Structures are given as C-alpha cells and as structure tokens.
Amino acid sequence: MLRGLLVLLLLLAPGLASAQDGGARVRILPGWTTGAGAHMAGLEITLPRGWKTYWRRPGEAGIPPAFDWSASRNLAGIRVHWPVPQVFHQAGMRSIGYAEKVVLPVEVTPARPGQPVELSLRADMGMCRDICVPVAADATATLPATGGRGDAAIRAALADRPLTAAESGARARCALDLGGDGATLTARLDLPALGPAPEVVFEAADPGLWISEPRTRAEGGTLVSTARIEAPAGLPLTFDRSALRTTVIGRGGAVEILGCD
C-alpha cells in the first residue's frame, strides 16, 4: 500500500486543473424518461488523445472519481451505471479506467415526478498519461418532465456493462484467514471464459476498508484470487462477505458477482 502511494505521488502533477485547463470536456447528455418514472441521462467525458480517466475503483495507480450532485434541483436520487472498463499497467502498478472518451449512464429519480430535473454536477477526477492531473469539472442540464431522446451513446454504454452472476452462471466461494492487522481473502471464482489472464477487482461494502491489489491464478476452469484486507488503524476488522463485489475483466467481456459463499 505504501509503495503504491509513493509512486502515485511521483506521477501526480502539482495543483488542481479545471476541465478547460486540462483539456478534458464533461457534459450531461439529457437522455429520456423511463417507464418507471425515472430519467436516463448520460455523463460524457472526453479527454485528449492518449489520456485516460478512472473507473469507480481505479486501482493502485489511479485517482477515484467523485461526483457531487448536491446543487441539483428536484433530485431525489441518482445512480451511475459503469460500462466495462479497461485495465492499464504502468510502473509495475495496475489502474482501471477509460481511454479518451466514455459515457456513464446516469439514472435520475426526481423528487417530484412529472416535473423537470435541473442537474448540476461538480466532478473531481483524474486524467493521466505520463503524469496524473486532478481535474475539476462542472456541468449542468435540464431534464424534461416527459419524453426526451433515446440517445444511442447512452444505450450503447448501458449495453456495455458486466454480466451479472445470474446472467453468466458465475459463482464466488470465499475463505477469510484472519492474521496480523487484518485478513487474507481467497476467492475461488467459477465463471465463463473471458480470455487469457483476466483481471480481478474486489470492492467491499465498507469504503473504509483497504483491499490490496489481488494475485490471481487459474486452476483448471476456476480463477483463484487472493488479496489482503485491513481496517483503518485502531479499528477492528468487520467484513461482510455477502456484500463483497467481485468484478472480473477480460478481453472477452466482464462479469460482476455480488456476494461470496
């Protein structure tokens, strides 16, 4: 963990850039209303050639994105849908994200159905090439109360999501070995073939828990992935395996498994 932080500091350029200064463009695609009374919009992030930004769990060398929607009006809830990301390796470390352009579908629930929603976003994220630059970006849009346009870019991003365990027939079995200041998690993952050397990402329900980058090997048709879990200093480790989210990313697609037997 310390090694990753030190390398990240070396890669990180000083200061905070705006989207305009850094060459990034962020805008909200207004999308369409759904049959469930919600609204499907999109967050489009465009970067200069050769640059990338990060997934919700960015890996050891990435900067996690943060989206602040608190200045919006008539907003009861919002859910970001994440398309399958890419895995990058740099300086011996792994990062996970999107190269040059991505559309993140955003499912919006209005506080007062049948009335427009005024979305106001403050996005703090990282964009990286040879160095990593923290970027601040603002975007606004008014979502209509009804109707809208079935945006092809949003629909494509929705379709490009990881398969669920039920859709893929995947299963995760876990063992937790307590020791030292934390525990070692070993997950045995039965899932369809995703191509050579798939990458495994673990996400705990508790964002305060630290999970190391996993070590993964194949045993026949099963992936065995091991990672270290630690609680913040001075706190006991409490880990809910039923809420563990495991994403496996390969050249042939991705699978997301919630919970671990």
Side-chain angles (χ1 to χ4, degrees):
M1 181 178 180
L2 179 59
R3 174 176 174 267
L5 290 173
L6 290 174
V7 175
L8 179 57
L9 288 173
L10 290 174
L11 290 173
L12 202 60
L16 180 68
S18 71
Q20 292 75 23
D21 294 337
R25 290 190 293 111
V26 177
R27 65 172 180 147
I28 297 171
L29 307 178
W32 66 91
T33 54
T34 70
H39 194 106
M40 188 63 72
L43 178 59
E44 182 186 75
I45 302 170
T46 305
L47 305 173
R49 183 181 298 275
W51 290 74
K52 61 181 180 286
T53 192
Y54 292 104
W55 190 52
R56 62 174 185 251
R57 181 168 171 84
E60 190 177 15
I63 301 172
F67 303 132
D68 180 1
W69 304 92
S70 60
S72 301
R73 301 179 65 181
N74 193 31
L75 177 63
I78 199 156
R79 178 189 175 195
V80 177
H81 296 262
W82 296 87
V84 175
Q86 297 174 254
V87 179
F88 307 95
H89 292 274
Q90 181 181 8
M93 294 193 300
R94 181 178 77 164
S95 62
I96 304 166
Y98 305 97
E100 298 182 1
K101 185 174 182 178
V102 64
V103 172
L104 304 179
V106 179
E107 191 172 351
V108 177
T109 302
R112 297 179 299 280
Q115 296 186 29
V117 177
E118 296 181 15
L119 283 184
S120 180
L121 168 67
R122 168 73 175 195
D124 293 299
M125 57 190 187
M127 53 179 286
C128 292
R129 190 174 182 177
D130 301 320
I131 61 171
C132 294
V133 181
V135 175
D138 297 312
T140 60
T142 298
L143 309 184
T146 58
R149 184 169 67 89
D151 192 297
I154 300 175
R155 292 192 184 279
L158 283 169
D160 185 27
R161 61 169 177 79
L163 296 176
T164 65
E167 291 169 334
S168 63
R171 179 189 176 197
R173 295 165 288 150
C174 289
L176 206 61
D177 183 16
L178 297 174
D181 296 327
T184 298
L185 169 71
T186 301
R188 302 183 66 85
L189 309 171
D190 301 311
L191 68 168
L194 297 174
E199 304 270 358
V200 176
V201 185
F202 294 121
E203 297 174 87
D206 181 356
L209 293 181
W210 174 76
I211 303 181
S212 71
E213 294 292 270
R215 295 183 177 181
T216 304
R217 67 183 188 276
E219 290 186 359
T222 299
L223 283 183
V224 180
S225 193
T226 303
R228 183 72 180 166
I229 304 175
E230 295 179 5
L235 296 180
L237 175 64
T238 303
F239 180 71
D240 182 2
R241 69 173 64 199
S242 69
L244 176 69
R245 188 179 302 274
T246 304
T247 305
V248 186
I249 305 165
R251 295 180 186 175
V255 171
E256 187 174 275
I257 307 169
L258 182 61
C260 199
D261 298 336

